[in-house]
Amino acid sequence: MNLVPFSRREEHLFYLVAGFGAAIVAIGLAAALYMEHSGHVVTGMNNQIVWGMPHVFAIFLIVAASGVLNVASIGSVFGKVLYKKRAPLSGLLCIAMLAGGLAVIMLDLGRADRLIIAMTHFNPTSVFGWNVILYPGMFGIVAVYLWTLMERRMNPWTKPAGFAAFIWRLLLTTGTGSIFGFLVARQAYHAAVLAPMFIIMSFAWGLAVFMIVQRVMYAWNGLTVHQAVRNRMKNLLGVFVAAVFYFVAVYHLTNLYFAKEVAFERFILIDGGIFPVLFWGGWLFLGTILPLLLLYLPGLSSLCGSVATASGLVILGAFCQLYVFIIGGQAFPLGIFPGMETASSFFDGRIDTYSPSWPEFLLGLGGIGIAFTMTAVGVRVLSFMPEDDIAHLEAMLNITD
Amino acid sequence: MSNNDRRGFLAASAGLGLVAIAPGVHLMQVAQARPAGEPASKLQRWGMLVDTTKCASGCTACVSACATENGINEQVADPRQAAQWIRKIDIKDPKNGRQHSLPMMCQHCAEPPCVDVCPTGASMKRADGIVLVDRHICIGCRYCMMACPYKARSFVHQPLTQQNPEVPRGLGCVESCTLCVHRVDKGQKPACVEACPEGAMLFGDLEDPNSDIARRIAQTATTQVRADLKLNTGVRYQGI
């Protein structure tokens, strides 16, 4: 049998991959156009559950975009060589995911055509308003940072640019967490812990995305990630996943301590239908315990594909967590008259149900498509492949051993 | 003409004049309409007092009047996607079985969370305390709906027809009770207040100590819903 070598098929395969990504983007845009034309009546969102599946996708992408830049920050700000080699890829992924997330959140607006109003009318008391500055600012700062990384003459500016990106990234995720943290009336939100919780979630989700992309890039080029790199990054991912667990535990335990929040916690953790299932089964077991076992358990952690599988599970857990947080938080009835039983034609006092429709799911998927396509094209046309100093890695491996 | 005759004539003329213009003056006072172009004044704060002891469970006269006045007539397949500017809530205390029924709408807070969170400033509070949405700059992000403690806001999910020209609404925008601002500016009461068969809703200027509403609030125990949030609502309730 005459097999064409991969190097000769590579170009065709790249176009196939890029075409696949573009098709996902096109589907997402078509879904957005359909929603724009018909109104949100074609979605599962309603006047009780006002933010739905597009927000789950968008917030995942935006939070992970901030976290994926952590790899670059560890390199540029904290001077770790292993991570510095990966800073350009980290920056590209940040821009790509931010673009995907923002596209989804913008196209879900009731009046997406008024984007220019969002840019020109600014309310300084609105956390959303801050984010209108923080998100485009992130694009600009990361673009400059990438420039200092990839243009030899600009290299001396890498550290200050990296530091600026690091600070901006922390602000951005604080802003995203505060979108919920500042909601005074909803039982699920209004908690200061949400800002740092979102930051630590961004670390875990971003690193998980980075490790999958890195592995695919290496495999595409017929390479494998060096053991020393793999060990370092998997250990870091484990620490981040454990830290997310800690913050989520603090958030729920605090709520459980407050008598007024016990009913809400009971709903999310025990009798809320899909939400406890996603919380315990999706986020805790699949997204936290299983990845930790895959990353740390001797025997499992050395298996081929264990780190990639753990990363994939962390991402799956992230979606479960966001679904519970965003949808579950709205499904629980708003306590307008605390301690009273209420009933109305507007579903007061009733647990709300939400069934995402295809258009909103496809819009969210389109955001992933944008991030995917930008990354695929980016790594193809520019040099984003990490170039490690093998001798240094071997030395690291010996020290670790 | 003697001095006495002259005095008598002047007095009679003045009396006649008063009689002639008094109704006009009186009507203007009652109407309290602002001339067109004059901005709302912060010397006023429009508010409402709902006497829940008079509000009958099952009566939806205020809801119907609001829908008619504001052109909320669209048919939506999923009732959870339908706009409701005012709704009746039946409340029951599970400890003692005591029940109330009351209308719930935008509470026109002095410190409205919807205004704080709106990224474009579309959610705004007029000088006279009426909280509104500027339909021209609302981008439909629904953050205000997440922030409202009273679930008082609705998002328009589908294209609208047969709108009331005085109450513009629009697909993809958020909306809520305007306190019938178009009527208030003409010196009329909100439609719900006018329609209430029991006279359970009292509308007026909270800043005017001589207004009926201010006097009632000064004399009777009234409640702000979610008073713990310290939003200083313009809508108050009596009897809960």
Side-chain angles (χ1 to χ4, degrees):
Chain A
M1 203 163 75
N2 241 348
L3 275 180
V4 184
F6 180 76
S7 56
R8 282 174 57 192
R9 286 182 294 145
E10 194 265 354
E11 187 168 338
H12 295 293
L13 265 177
F14 167 72
Y15 285 121
L16 201 65
V17 167
F20 172 74
I24 301 285
V25 175
I27 289 170
L29 288 176
L33 196 66
Y34 177 56
M35 282 166 62
E36 172 76 7
H37 183 71
S38 316
H40 278 58
V41 70
V42 296
T43 72
M45 291 176 275
N46 51 60
N47 284 326
Q48 331 305 317
I49 304 225
V50 300
W51 286 351
M53 198 48 104
H55 301 79
V56 172
F57 276 93
I59 290 173
F60 171 79
L61 283 167
I62 290 167
V63 171
S66 154
V68 82
L69 200 67
N70 203 35
V71 172
S73 298
I74 296 172
S76 292
V77 179
F78 301 105
K80 302 287 179 194
V81 178
L82 184 151
Y83 289 94
K84 203 166 186 174
K85 302 283 185 194
R86 285 155 179 79
L89 178 59
S90 155
L92 172 71
L93 280 171
C94 172
I95 287 182
M97 285 201 284
L98 197 57
L102 286 184
V104 174
I105 213 134
M106 289 300 169
L107 290 171
D108 174 71
L109 291 176
R111 293 298 304 260
D113 55 315
R114 290 181 176 171
L115 181 59
I116 193 73
I117 289 175
M119 313 283 257
T120 52
H121 290 67
F122 177 66
N123 176 11
T125 63
S126 167
V127 184
F128 254 11
W130 305 348
N131 288 341
V132 169
I133 292 171
L134 287 169
Y135 294 157
M138 187 80 181
F139 275 117
I141 287 179
V142 176
V144 169
Y145 178 43
L146 274 177
W147 184 36
T148 66
L149 284 166
M150 302 181 83
E151 166 61 58
R152 215 173 284 276
R153 286 169 303 169
M154 294 298 292
N155 281 170
W157 296 97
T158 297
K159 189 144 186 159
F163 191 73
F166 172 67
I167 297 293
W168 199 270
R169 177 173 67 83
L170 293 181
L171 288 174
L172 181 135
T173 324
T174 300
T176 311
S178 300
I179 286 174
F180 297 95
F182 283 22
L183 290 176
V184 67
R186 300 244 173 196
Q187 292 91 324
Y189 313 126
H190 74 82
V193 75
L194 293 180
M197 187 170 115
F198 267 65
I199 290 177
I200 201 68
M201 287 181 338
S202 82
F203 288 0
W205 304 350
L207 188 57
V209 170
F210 185 90
M211 289 174 79
I212 288 177
V213 173
Q214 175 178 252
R215 185 184 158 92
V216 171
M217 273 177 74
Y218 272 70
W220 185 274
N221 289 287
L223 301 167
T224 49
V225 180
H226 194 278
Q227 187 68 24
V229 177
R230 183 179 181 274
N231 285 354
R232 276 291 170 99
M233 298 187 90
K234 91 173 176 63
N235 286 343
L236 189 63
L237 180 63
V239 170
F240 288 160
V241 170
V244 172
F245 171 79
Y246 168 78
F247 271 88
V248 174
V250 167
Y251 163 76
H252 286 289
L253 287 171
T254 314
N255 272 349
L256 282 166
Y257 196 79
F258 301 152
K260 62 175 183 171
E261 306 289 18
V262 169
F264 166 71
E265 284 298 325
R266 189 180 169 82
F267 171 72
I268 289 293
L269 302 178
I270 299 172
D271 53 17
I274 183 76
F275 303 113
V277 173
L278 289 177
F279 180 85
W280 296 108
W283 171 73
L284 186 65
F285 180 68
L286 291 177
T288 304
I289 295 174
L290 211 51
L292 285 176
L293 291 176
L294 283 168
L295 293 170
Y296 288 134
L297 205 67
L300 271 182
S301 63
S302 56
L303 284 178
C304 176
S306 64
V307 177
T309 309
S311 302
L313 286 171
V314 169
I315 294 170
L316 178 70
F319 274 90
C320 293
Q321 187 184 1
L322 280 176
Y323 193 91
V324 171
F325 182 70
I326 298 172
I327 314 294
Q330 297 171 82
F332 189 74
L334 195 61
I336 303 175
F337 295 94
M340 299 286 188
E341 290 172 359
T342 52
S344 79
S345 60
F346 210 43
F347 306 92
D348 285 286
R350 278 178 45 187
I351 303 285
D352 284 308
T353 53
Y354 169 69
S355 310
S357 70
W358 277 106
E360 58 190 307
F361 178 76
L362 293 175
L363 170 60
L365 208 61
I368 305 262
I370 289 173
F372 175 83
T373 311
M374 282 178 73
T375 309
V377 174
V379 297
R380 170 81 179 185
V381 298
L382 290 169
S383 171
F384 284 102
M385 188 71 188
E387 289 172 11
D388 286 310
D389 178 353
I390 300 297
H392 174 71
L393 293 180
E394 290 295 337
M396 271 177 60
L397 201 58
N398 290 335
I399 292 167
T400 315
D401 291 343
Chain B
M1 193 182 275
S2 71
N3 277 348
N4 281 344
D5 288 347
R6 190 179 291 115
R7 280 199 197 103
F9 173 75
L10 285 172
S13 301
L16 267 174
L18 266 177
V19 170
I21 63 168
V25 172
H26 182 66
L27 278 177
M28 278 181 73
Q29 281 175 340
V30 168
Q32 293 174 316
R34 281 188 290 110
E38 187 182 304
S41 166
K42 64 179 178 188
L43 297 175
Q44 286 173 315
R45 183 174 179 212
W46 296 118
M48 199 184 283
L49 176 62
V50 179
D51 185 348
T52 62
T53 58
K54 292 182 182 170
C55 184
S57 177
C59 171
T60 55
C62 54
V63 179
S64 306
C66 173
T68 306
E69 179 66 34
N70 296 297
I72 306 168
N73 48 22
E74 63 273 16
Q75 296 298 313
V76 185
D78 181 352
R80 293 174 309 160
Q81 291 181 326
Q84 293 204 26
W85 291 17
I86 182 171
R87 63 192 190 273
K88 285 295 296 293
I89 302 188
D90 291 318
I91 307 168
K92 185 178 170 189
D93 188 336
K95 293 187 284 290
N96 54 27
R98 190 167 177 231
Q99 295 190 31
H100 299 284
S101 181
L102 53 81
M104 175 55 63
M105 71 296 270
C106 172
Q107 302 288 291
H108 298 279
C109 312
E111 308 284 345
C114 56
V115 173
D116 287 343
V117 302
C118 177
T120 65
S123 277
M124 47 119 175
K125 189 181 71 168
R126 245 173 48 149
D128 57 8
I130 301 180
V131 175
L132 298 169
V133 179
D134 182 343
R135 303 289 149 70
H136 297 288
I137 58 171
C138 173
I139 57 173
C141 70
R142 287 102 80 199
Y143 197 17
C144 57
M145 296 173 75
M146 293 290 279
C148 177
Y150 308 103
K151 215 165 80 164
R153 293 204 154 185
S154 295
F155 179 70
V156 180
H157 285 78
Q158 63 180 33
L160 301 173
T161 53
Q162 297 176 323
Q163 294 190 42
N164 175 358
E166 285 191 304
V167 189
R169 305 174 61 209
L171 170 70
C173 286
V174 174
E175 55 186 26
S176 60
C177 159
T178 64
L179 217 55
C180 281
V181 67
H182 59 290
R183 291 170 59 94
V184 171
D185 282 347
K186 285 189 285 194
Q188 299 168 338
K189 294 174 186 170
C192 56
V193 174
E194 210 164 78
C196 180
E198 306 295 334
M201 301 168 92
L202 179 63
F203 172 79
D205 181 4
L206 296 168
E207 291 292 323
D208 176 5
N210 296 318
S211 67
D212 287 347
I213 187 169
R215 281 206 298 263
R216 279 267 292 278
I217 286 174
Q219 289 162 4
T220 13
T222 58
T223 308
Q224 298 182 41
V225 177
R226 290 300 311 265
D228 57 314
L229 299 175
K230 296 193 181 301
L231 303 176
N232 186 2
T233 57
V235 177
R236 312 288 172 92
Y237 293 86
Q238 183 182 341
I240 56 170

